[in-house]
Amino acid sequence: MTIFSHKPSGEETAQFAGEGPVRAALATRDWSDSPLGPPARWPAELVTVVNLMLNSRFPMFLAWGPELALLYNDGYAGILGNKHPAALGQRFDVVWAEIWHIVAPIAIDAMAGRSSYYEDLPLTVLRHGEPERASFTFSYSPIASHDGSIGGMYCAVVETTAHVETRHVQAFQLHLSDRLRPITSPDDIIQVASEALGRMTGVERVLYAEVDDERGSFSVRRDWMADEAPSLAGDTGPLASLGQGVVEALRAGRTVIVNDVGSDPLTEGAAAGYLDVEVQAIVVIPLVKSNHLLAVLAMHSAIPRKWTVTEIQMARETAERTWSAVESAHAQDELREANRRKDEFLAMLAHELRNPLAPISAAAELMELAPMNAERVRQTSQVIGRQVRHMTGLVDDLLDVSRVTRGQVTINKLPQDLKNVVTNAVEQVRPMIQARSHHLTLELPPQAAQVLGDENRLVQVLTNLLNNAAKYTPEGGHIKLHMHTDASDVVITVSDNGIGIPAELQPRVFDLFAQAERTSDRSQGGLGLGLALVKSLVGLHGGSVTCASEGTGKGSCFTVRLPRFEPLPQVRERRRHPRGEVGGSNHRIMVVDDNEDAATMLGMLLEASGHEVQVEHRSPEALALAAEMQPGVCILDIGLPDMDGYELARQLRRQPGMAGALLIAVTGYGQESDRRKALDAGFDHHMVKPVDAPRLLRIVAERSQAPA
């Protein structure tokens, strides 16, 4: 135990028993400059109160004499911060000069013999070198001297800053939620949240900026500012102008807290930029997703400021709620837009399906009205065929989009020369180009342009781009396909001088169902699926596709980049397994389909091609018929009642004489899994309804001989 004792001759001894920083300071303090004088000369009542105070763990201080000289215990030393130990024995108004204008009336009351009590009183103190907002609960009480006069005052105090700040944060959260709840506009959400934070913290400015991390730039979208602060809304600049330390912290997802931009290492080299816009202290909250800095919410102070835990918590709360509300608003907008586009698509789909149905219906009615000569039958058949092919194309596009978007398309990657792909694509679109009298120019490199890809899908990509150009280019217009290679890619551009792409459509031209404004005649037709398929298929090949247009009436240009394939290895030709030489054309064919109209029409088609055809609509009857007629070809629907086409095929294969029959599955299901299932069941071919008649006839013709 340390004992401080000073006992001059004839004077009372002052003793302060115990240990601790304040007792040590009492022992070493030079009291010559203190209004109190040496402790050995202090009055007994003062020594008694000091000992009571020193032995308490509760923060306490007393101010004694006309000068209110300050004495305190270890608990209060923590509240003093950097003011301890110099404050020991000094005048109260000197020690707490920054708050004396607030506490002086309270001290005067105490020295007049009146006690007081204050709860959670907010004070801005300088105890760590910078202004700091803090809250205290305390009571001032007078201390009587031996003659009955008031010798000083006594204070028990507790700092309640953390408790008060927690209440403030909770109140701010409720306030912010109430303000944001009815708002749906992202810009209004940002504005209201920024204002709420700014007014609560008393800063000069709160701003929301969007960040392009790849380009290293930012753009201030909205800001709220106090009356005297200038707005920064609309300002853009490089991220580097914020300071290297600031940018690194934000990219790492850390909150940036700078009390003074002129002295903080985070803003080293960038302080002048902050001072130009009257900013000397900042708090910046980052929004980072997928390792990319997307946005920031920032508070600006025009003077150096020690940011409190509460202010930082409120800034984070505002940022999180703002981003959550903005994302929710964007999601609602996207849902509304998706719903609008869905309705638009359904309207387009209905229109596109009704168009071919009209001539098909008219052809059917015409055939019922009166006998027709051969020429009229031929014309009617051509009309029906064209319209069915158009409807089939629409359905195929829908299925393709469905498969691609669900990741169910398998790309068979083999070395391909894109020059051959271009040739095949041009052959497919040539009839449309010729019909519209377009001038098509091909610019191909002299050397091979090799990529690793699926030939059919690559042809589909270029066909869609060329069809798109032809569809939206007036008759007699110009279309150009240019190909070249660079260090890593093969680059293909398809350009035209057609109607162009409006600026507002360009950002979503590759989205599903995206089209320019529809006209009542829908002269271009289509469902807006082609470019979405192009983007997906190019992506599956590891490439990219972009579009450019100077606007309506100024044509468009689509650029496809695909990774080059080098060196070109020797590719073995895939083995083919022919069924035999083509023999006679008179085959026995059994058609099984529970749709009587479909079965009848398919049978008539095959009979017209010189084949002997029998039709059944149910599996049991088909098994009996097959045992009797021994067909060399069986064309089976899959969705049959009682027994589906897969099981029918298995049982047909087990019948005597049917092991070598040609089995063809005809179905409305065209997924790769459906094709594999058909082959596993014993089918030789899998065809999707409506049947491609020329292809079916070629498959049948490949039989080496008709069964006896």
Side-chain angles (χ1 to χ4, degrees), residues 24 110 143 208 263 283 370 372 427 447 479 541 586 621 651 667 693:
I143 304 173
Y208 179 89
S263 59
V283 172
M372 295 188 295
E427 283 301 313
Q447 72 277 13
I479 300 172
H541 283 81
N586 185 18
E621 287 81 353
Q651 294 202 22
T667 176

Side-chain angles (χ1 to χ4, degrees), residues 599-682:
T600 300
M601 293 306 299
L602 182 57
M604 292 173 63
L605 172 67
L606 293 167
E607 285 180 343
S609 300
H611 303 291
E612 177 186 342
V613 181
Q614 293 286 332
V615 175
E616 279 295 349
H617 307 299
R618 297 172 62 86
S619 297
E621 287 81 353
L623 288 171
L625 177 62
E628 178 184 341
M629 71 176 291
Q630 292 288 293
V633 179
C634 297
I635 302 174
L636 312 179
D637 183 27
I638 296 300
L640 296 170
D642 302 326
M643 179 191 302
D644 64 23
Y646 300 126
E647 182 58 29
L648 177 58
R650 295 186 189 97
Q651 294 202 22
L652 285 172
R653 286 292 190 205
R654 291 196 289 266
Q655 284 192 356
M658 292 295 295
L662 176 66
L663 301 189
I664 303 171
V666 176
T667 176
Y669 298 101
Q671 305 280 5
E672 176 62 23
S673 59
D674 300 314
R675 189 187 72 84
R676 289 197 301 269
K677 191 173 181 180
L679 297 179
D680 291 343

